Amino acid sequence: MTSKVLPPSVLELAEALIACPSVTPAAGLVFDCLEGQLKPLGFAVHRFHAGVAPDGPVENLFAIRQGPEGSRHFGFAGHVDVVPPGENWASAPFAPEVRSSPLGDLLYGRGAVDMKGSIAAMVAAAAAVPQDAGALSFIITGDEEGPATFGTQELIKHMRAVKAVPDLILVGEPTSVNRLGDMMKIGRRGSTNVWLEVEGKEGHVAYPHLADNPITKLIHMLAELKAMPLDDGTDWFQASNLEITELTVGNPATNVIPARAQARISIRFNDQHSGKELGARVRAIAEKHGGTARQVVYGEAFLTPPGPFSELIADAVEGELGFRPEASTTGGTSDARFLKDLCPVIEFGLCNATMHKRDEAVAVADLDALARIYARVAKAALTG
């Protein structure tokens, strides 16, 4: 009699992914690993590279397991790239290690939380969802932690081209704060940076009438920008904020008025604004003070209003953990800022306490629970 081969556990799936070094932009081995996990579950896997230097090329993966004709389509989204591990880990960052603690077993390794652990839970959840329930897909990029120019945005083009746009998408970012399931993200603020520059006329400090000090103009410009009214927040978003993040003159001489001064500002904004509108306001103030402004918008604010999708996730969490998550829009940006153009999208995943830190770790019990929650969410989403 032959014994039945059991599918890999969530822990085994996560360990296999962590063991593939994948500092952003990720390519090759980690995608081989994920493809090997998905194909036995009946997924058709399409991998492709997109873009050119300096932001590319980037490897992406779209995998789909079709359901019955006319059935609903639910998408799991995420990334397999990770930030550089840094130094002084207790164990090698890409050699996954389980250690016991007073709170239970913990899996250590770069990406355990952000977000190979969540992707492993998605794969395990997919194994628990019958194929006749509907279409399931994985939308996975290798460049979420980097410029994100040729990652999820290229995946969106591909999904549209092959007419495989999901009805709902769950992004597995680590959204939980104090315990698994306490928070989901139903939106995010937008993000933009603006580089400011003022040209002056260099000269000796003892003869200011023969020079034109750009620092003085830049200081006045920044003061007006900091005083620029934005908003007081909304029911779902905190107030927008503008921060000065860099100030550069590069003047080694103590007796010279410099010829140029530069600064950079960052604005995190809610859905009362657009990146374009804010850029125009900043540019007008910069030009008023004799300067220029160069803007890059990294993502617009978005909100998936509380409703059926958020309730579906809350029901799944309550069914497994006995409480309902808080709906929030706090935190930084994610690839949900792009995916929201396809369909409703919500982020939900592991506890974020150790993400991007040395000795990143996830509770093994949380991996198992998250897989069960994801399976509940997918099944409910596919039944409509």
Side-chain angles (χ1 to χ4, degrees):
M1 178 182 294
T2 58
S3 59
K4 183 178 180 181
V5 178
L6 297 176
S9 66
V10 191
L11 174 60
E12 291 170 323
L13 294 167
E15 288 176 323
L17 291 168
I18 292 170
C20 302
S22 56
V23 172
T24 191
L29 186 60
V30 68
F31 283 98
D32 294 342
C33 180
L34 182 57
E35 181 176 359
Q37 294 176 355
L38 291 173
K39 276 193 169 181
L41 300 179
F43 283 84
V45 178
H46 176 65
R47 291 163 57 178
F48 63 96
H49 289 81
V52 296
D55 293 348
V58 170
E59 185 164 4
N60 299 301
L61 178 150
F62 178 71
I64 188 165
R65 189 181 69 189
Q66 297 288 357
E69 182 81 22
S71 62
R72 289 175 61 81
H73 177 182
F74 181 74
F76 286 119
H79 61 91
V80 289
D81 62 314
V82 297
V83 296
E87 300 178 347
N88 301 317
W89 282 60
S91 58
F94 296 113
E97 182 176 304
V98 176
R99 299 179 222 154
S100 60
S101 79
L103 299 177
D105 288 345
L106 299 177
L107 170 64
Y108 287 81
R110 175 56 86 222
V113 169
D114 189 13
M115 58 170 284
K116 293 179 179 180
S118 288
I119 291 178
M122 292 172 177
V123 174
V129 178
Q131 185 165 354
D132 62 6
L136 273 182
S137 63
F138 280 71
I139 308 156
I140 308 296
T141 182
D143 189 33
E144 192 271 350
E145 301 289 5
T149 305
F150 300 112
T152 294
Q153 296 185 80
E154 294 297 323
L155 281 160
I156 289 172
K157 293 177 184 176
H158 173 74
M159 286 185 284
R160 285 175 168 157
V162 299
K163 296 181 170 40
V165 174
D167 297 294
L168 299 170
I169 294 175
L170 185 150
V171 180
E173 287 291 335
T175 60
S176 301
V177 181
N178 297 309
R179 57 176 175 170
L180 176 66
D182 62 2
M183 184 175 289
M184 61 178 159
K185 299 297 175 73
I186 61 170
R188 295 277 192 169
R189 293 194 299 172
S191 173
T192 183
N193 280 345
V194 186
W195 284 259
L196 305 165
E197 183 171 305
V198 178
E199 294 281 351
K201 182 179 180 182
E202 65 185 351
H204 197 292
V205 296
Y207 304 92
H209 60 289
L210 300 178
D212 182 12
N213 196 328
I215 299 176
T216 304
K217 295 179 180 179
L218 184 61
I219 289 172
H220 291 155
M221 180 197 303
L222 293 173
E224 185 169 349
L225 286 169
K226 280 297 292 182
M228 181 173 67
L230 293 174
D231 57 77
D232 297 319
T234 70
D235 288 343
W236 285 107
F237 284 99
Q238 65 194 94
S240 303
N241 66 294
L242 181 155
E243 303 300 332
I244 301 166
T245 57
E246 186 178 26
L247 188 60
T248 305
V249 177
N251 181 12
T254 60
N255 60 350
V256 173
I257 293 171
R260 181 182 299 105
Q262 300 166 317
R264 183 183 65 224
I265 61 172
S266 175
I267 309 176
R268 294 299 172 98
F269 56 95
N270 59 38
D271 59 353
Q272 295 191 62
H273 306 278
S274 71
K276 182 178 179 180
E277 167 249 323
L278 288 170
R281 292 173 64 181
V282 170
R283 193 171 299 108
I285 292 173
E287 292 173 354
K288 171 183 172 182
H289 294 277
T292 60
R294 178 177 65 85
Q295 181 190 30
V296 176
V297 179
Y298 295 99
E300 299 289 347
F302 78 94
L303 177 69
T304 299
F309 192 13
S310 56
E311 286 300 302
L312 182 154
I313 293 174
D315 289 345
V317 173
E318 186 174 33
E320 287 295 334
L321 304 178
F323 57 87
R324 300 178 77 78
E326 174 190 354
S328 172
T329 62
T330 57
T333 59
S334 79
D335 278 350
R337 70 188 189 272
F338 305 126
L339 294 166
K340 53 88 176 174
D341 292 335
L342 287 179
C343 64
V345 57
I346 291 179
E347 301 171 41
F348 178 75
L350 295 161
C351 292
N352 56 28
T354 63
M355 67 177 181
H356 292 202
K357 295 183 179 181
R358 181 177 64 243
D359 293 331
E360 182 179 352
V362 61
V364 174
D366 283 358
L367 289 175
D368 292 329
L370 185 62
R372 295 193 299 271
I373 292 169
Y374 282 168
R376 284 176 179 259
V377 169
K379 290 175 184 177
L382 291 174
T383 60

